[in-house]
Amino acid sequence: MSDLCYLGIDTSNYTTSVAVVTKEGEVIANLKAPLPVKSGERGLRQSDAVFSHVRNIPALMFDLREVLQGKKLLAVGVSTRPRDVADSYMPCFLAGRAAAESLAAGLQLPVHEFSHQNGHLMAALYSAKALRLLGKPFAAFHVSGGTTELLRVCPRGSDFSVEKIGGTADLNAGQVIDRIGVAMGLSFPCGPALEALAMENKKRVPKPRISVKKGTCNLSGLENLALELWESKKDKPLVAAFVLEFIARTLSAMTAWVRTEDPKLPVLFAGGVMSNRIIAQKISEQYEKVYFAKPAFSADNAAGVALLCRAKYL
């Protein structure tokens, strides 16, 4: 293995991440620090997120010292915006940009900027062992607390050209999970705890009435139905299973629409919500040529940014 490597930095709204990729394209470090959210709260103000990133980055960089021992950095990659669309901006990404530019200036290295979304796509491709998809268009779901989008992705040099072809018309999937989880007394973010509860459920899950039209879904109804179920049953495992069943059926119906448009189009699933093994299993049982990242590469991470940085440098 070469001693040459690339660094990635990502400062999303809920996680500070740094990652290192070798010249050969192997992720050798994927470190994260969650941003603290007060008990009972369902999110963070941007000012609080920026402050937490500023505190987290030095500690994560310190942890990278052993990884980088004897290695030579060639370039620094950083996510500077949520998506590759006009006016895509969130202040939390300023913390990552400042760290990347400061480090690169001191070491006289190039800095390559990418979108947070494209970092998710690249990390998912790597983790799902689906890098062969880089040679042709594919469909992708980016499903998280801040995004529920269905995309048509075309490789463009070392990055992606992304077109939104569907998604949610109201709430994001991660938003609904967190709202229901907090209502049941779970800590934010609620995804892992909700998944664990759903695995405990032994009761019949009410069949959800989803709302999907072509590539567009509505998820606000899920919040209302789940909260009604919680008020009537007070059964956390049952409610958790219902929520995940609703989301799985919704994404499955949207996938079916993609396949009616192009039966052979591969479909990639990325984003924090897609680290849920229950949802992934339900969709995988119905379709071929669907790809899921491992949880560490599906939730927010800097590995995808580091991989894009490597591709850009090369």
Side-chain angles (χ1 to χ4, degrees):
M1 181 184 297
S2 169
D3 62 353
L4 304 177
C5 60
Y6 308 87
L7 176 68
I9 300 174
D10 182 78
T11 50
S12 70
N13 203 41
Y14 296 110
T15 308
T16 313
S17 309
V18 297
V20 177
V21 172
T22 66
K23 185 181 179 182
E24 293 77 19
E26 179 187 354
V27 177
I28 57 173
N30 186 21
L31 308 182
K32 309 177 186 183
L35 307 190
V37 178
K38 294 179 180 178
S39 177
E41 296 289 328
R42 302 189 301 192
L44 279 174
R45 294 180 299 178
Q46 280 292 294
S47 58
D48 293 332
V50 171
F51 176 74
S52 294
H53 283 311
V54 171
R55 295 187 63 180
N56 285 348
I57 289 173
L60 287 177
M61 290 296 190
F62 184 87
D63 291 340
L64 279 183
R65 291 192 310 166
E66 185 175 344
V67 176
L68 295 174
Q69 187 72 32
K71 293 182 172 57
K72 179 182 178 181
L73 279 177
L74 296 177
V76 179
V78 61
S79 56
T80 58
R81 55 201 180 278
R83 306 171 187 82
D84 276 337
V85 296
D87 301 322
S88 182
Y89 168 78
M90 289 180 72
C92 58
F93 292 104
L94 293 174
R97 170 181 268 168
E101 292 183 349
S102 298
L103 176 64
L107 298 177
Q108 298 183 344
L109 301 176
V111 176
H112 300 302
E113 298 182 3
F114 306 97
S115 72
H116 174 74
Q117 185 172 76
N118 286 9
H120 265 299
L121 297 176
M122 190 65 178
L125 287 172
Y126 171 86
S127 175
K129 301 187 185 303
L131 291 174
R132 62 186 178 279
L133 300 184
L134 289 173
K136 55 186 177 181
F138 59 92
F141 283 89
H142 181 194
V143 188
S144 66
T147 305
T148 299
E149 293 185 346
L150 173 55
L151 313 166
R152 183 176 176 84
V153 184
C154 296
R156 182 188 60 192
S158 59
D159 204 348
F160 304 110
S161 174
V162 177
E163 175 192 3
K164 181 182 175 184
I165 58 174
T168 180
D170 42 41
L171 296 178
N172 292 310
Q175 268 184 297
V176 180
I177 287 173
D178 289 327
R179 289 185 179 191
I180 296 165
V182 170
M184 294 194 299
L186 306 181
S187 297
F188 181 97
C190 304
L194 205 76
E195 180 178 1
L197 285 169
M199 289 181 173
E200 296 176 8
N201 181 59
K202 304 299 182 184
K203 299 178 182 177
R204 185 182 68 84
V205 179
K207 184 178 180 179
R209 296 178 59 185
I210 63 172
S211 176
V212 176
K213 184 176 182 181
K214 296 185 176 180
T216 301
C217 67
N218 292 85
L219 294 173
S220 57
L222 168 57
E223 181 181 14
N224 297 329
L225 291 171
L227 291 178
E228 288 176 7
L229 185 62
W230 169 241
E231 290 300 322
S232 63
K233 301 293 185 181
K234 295 297 182 182
D235 187 327
K236 290 182 181 180
L238 177 63
V239 174
F242 175 78
V243 171
L244 299 185
E245 178 72 16
F246 192 107
I247 294 173
R249 285 177 177 265
T250 296
L251 297 178
S252 180
M254 295 167 74
T255 301
W257 174 75
V258 170
R259 287 291 168 82
T260 61
E261 298 293 302
D262 188 340
K264 296 183 179 180
L265 195 66
V267 182
L268 177 73
F269 292 83
V273 173
M274 300 318 306
S275 62
N276 186 287
R277 291 161 292 179
I278 295 174
I279 297 175
Q281 181 178 351
K282 289 180 180 295
I283 296 173
S284 296
E285 290 172 351
Q286 298 180 61
Y287 301 100
E288 296 180 346
K289 293 185 178 180
V290 292
Y291 301 90
F292 295 86
K294 295 178 181 178
F297 293 91
S298 189
D300 286 346
N301 67 89
V305 174
L307 288 162
L308 288 172
C309 177
R310 169 185 175 270
K312 179 73 172 179
Y313 185 90
L314 294 176

